[in-house]
Structures are given as structure tokens and as C-alpha cells.
Amino acid sequence: MAEKKICDVCHKKINGINSIANIVGDSILCSRCYEQLGGFRITRKYNSEEEMNNDKIKSINEAIKLHYPQSVIYNLEKHFENHQKYFEAKKEMQSYLMTTGTSLEGYHIEKYLGIVVGHVVIGGGFGSGFEASIASFAGDEATMLTEKLDQAKEVAQNRAVIKSIQLGGNALIGIDVEFSTFSQDLMGVVFTGTSVKVRKKDD
């Protein structure tokens, strides 16, 4: 028998028919208590840090106003902290030092940390319009293809950067990007580089 869930706010059983268990960290909220948080959505994707912060202030203030348990408020705060870390990591990736060469102008390489690889497989009808896209390079299909490849390259790059950061690196050198066709509907994007720790040379 499945374990019956209890809402951490109203302490009522969540039966799965009239209510759904909404998990926020270690807290469980029934549909009613969840909906009272001013439009808060656990799976919502934020387009900007400002949008995220506005939702954070609104939902946490609502939880305090409604006297939700401190444990629930804490888990709400942790939820938004994770989003904050995402935006901080995104900023770091955008300004990460990278080059296709073996050195960085104005920087001294202190340590080589190893090769990192970020890869993405594009699917879902990618190859169906490939030849037509090449034939009509100024057409809509070519634009869609270019955008899809650019997005895949960015994702592969970010994955390589994350691995480099985890190794303790603050730069990538020797970058190489390769595109490989696996089948009619699948293409792979591989972003490779050497993770290094660098410091700025003294002027």
C-alpha cells in the first residue's frame, strides 16, 4: 500500500484525487496550500534573474503572511537559492576564458588539469530537412538548422565549462568543436578543450 502523504502546512491527507502532492525540497504541500503561494510554480523556468527574484519575494512573503511553518519557508528559500546558483553559473560561463590556441594572451598557465568534453545529440527530425536546407540556404529550413546547431554548440560548450570548473580550472585552451552525423535524424556536437588554471601576468 502506498504511503499516505500529509501536507506540511494544513496537515491534511493528500489523496491524489482532489489534491496533488507538491514537493518543495523536504516539504510536501497539498494543491490548496501550494496555490496560495501567489502563482509559485516548482518547475517554472525563469528567463531572467529579476523575474526569479520577483517570484521569490512574492511567494516567500505570502508564505510568511499565511503563517506557513518555518520549515516550508526554509525550503522555499533553498528552492530559489538553487535558481540563483544557476544564474551565477550562467554569468561565469559567459565570461569564461577560452581559446582555440595553446595559450591565453596576458595570462600564465599555472596548471594543466586535463581534457574536458561536452557533447549533445540533436534529434527529432533533424536530418529530414538537412539536404533541402543546404540547397536553399537562405530559406526558413536553413535558419532553423543554424539556430538548432548554435543552441546545441552552446549547450555542449556549457557542459565542458562546468566540467572544467569542477576540476578547479578557470580557462579552456585548445578548443575544438566537431559535428558528426549518426543517422538521418541524429547529429552529435562535441566540444573539447583542455582545462587549465591561469593567472594574469603582472604588468
Side-chain angles (χ1 to χ4, degrees):
M1 181 180 288
E3 182 183 354
K4 291 184 178 179
K5 294 183 174 64
I6 306 294
C7 176
D8 287 323
V9 178
C10 66
H11 306 296
K12 292 181 180 178
K13 291 179 182 178
I14 303 173
N15 57 27
I17 299 173
N18 299 320
S19 184
I20 299 172
N22 300 280
I23 313 298
V24 185
D26 297 325
S27 298
I28 301 175
L29 279 68
C30 67
S31 295
R32 179 178 174 275
C33 294
Y34 178 64
E35 293 294 335
Q36 286 183 319
L37 293 176
F40 168 68
R41 292 290 177 271
I42 299 166
T43 57
R44 183 174 177 182
K45 292 183 179 179
Y46 296 101
N47 296 317
S48 69
E49 197 170 351
E50 182 182 5
E51 182 185 9
M52 183 272 295
N53 282 324
N54 288 339
D55 203 22
K56 173 184 177 180
I57 292 168
K58 186 177 180 182
S59 58
I60 291 177
N61 283 347
E62 196 64 32
I64 294 170
K65 177 183 174 183
L66 294 168
H67 304 291
Y68 278 22
Q70 189 58 45
S71 60
V72 174
I73 295 171
Y74 170 78
N75 280 309
L76 276 170
E77 290 172 342
K78 294 295 290 182
H79 171 82
F80 285 106
E81 278 180 19
N82 289 333
H83 279 288
Q84 183 66 43
K85 288 176 183 176
Y86 164 78
F87 282 110
E88 289 172 357
K90 190 175 181 181
K91 287 177 185 176
E92 186 172 357
M93 284 188 281
Q94 288 172 343
S95 60
Y96 207 73
L97 294 170
M98 288 183 278
T99 180
T100 56
T102 57
S103 63
L104 283 159
E105 185 73 26
Y107 289 86
H108 172 71
I109 297 175
E110 294 185 322
K111 192 173 183 180
Y112 292 85
L113 301 167
I115 295 172
V116 293
V117 180
H119 41 74
V120 174
V121 175
I122 305 173
F126 166 79
S128 60
F130 183 73
E131 291 181 1
S133 298
I134 298 301
S136 58
F137 206 71
D140 291 338
E141 288 187 18
T143 301
M144 290 173 63
L145 171 63
T146 302
E147 289 177 354
K148 202 165 188 178
L149 288 173
D150 284 344
Q151 290 171 1
K153 175 184 170 292
E154 183 179 354
V155 172
Q157 175 181 305
N158 289 346
R159 288 177 178 173
V161 169
I162 288 170
K163 290 178 181 179
S164 178
I165 292 171
Q166 289 172 340
L167 289 175
N170 56 2
L172 280 173
I173 62 172
I175 287 172
D176 180 62
V177 183
E178 293 185 3
F179 299 87
S180 303
T181 303
F182 298 135
S183 68
Q184 184 181 5
D185 293 319
L186 290 175
M187 178 175 248
V189 182
V190 181
F191 188 100
T192 308
T194 300
S195 175
V196 293
K197 188 172 182 179
V198 301
R199 64 172 173 83
K200 206 162 189 176
K201 292 179 179 177
D202 296 332
D203 295 330

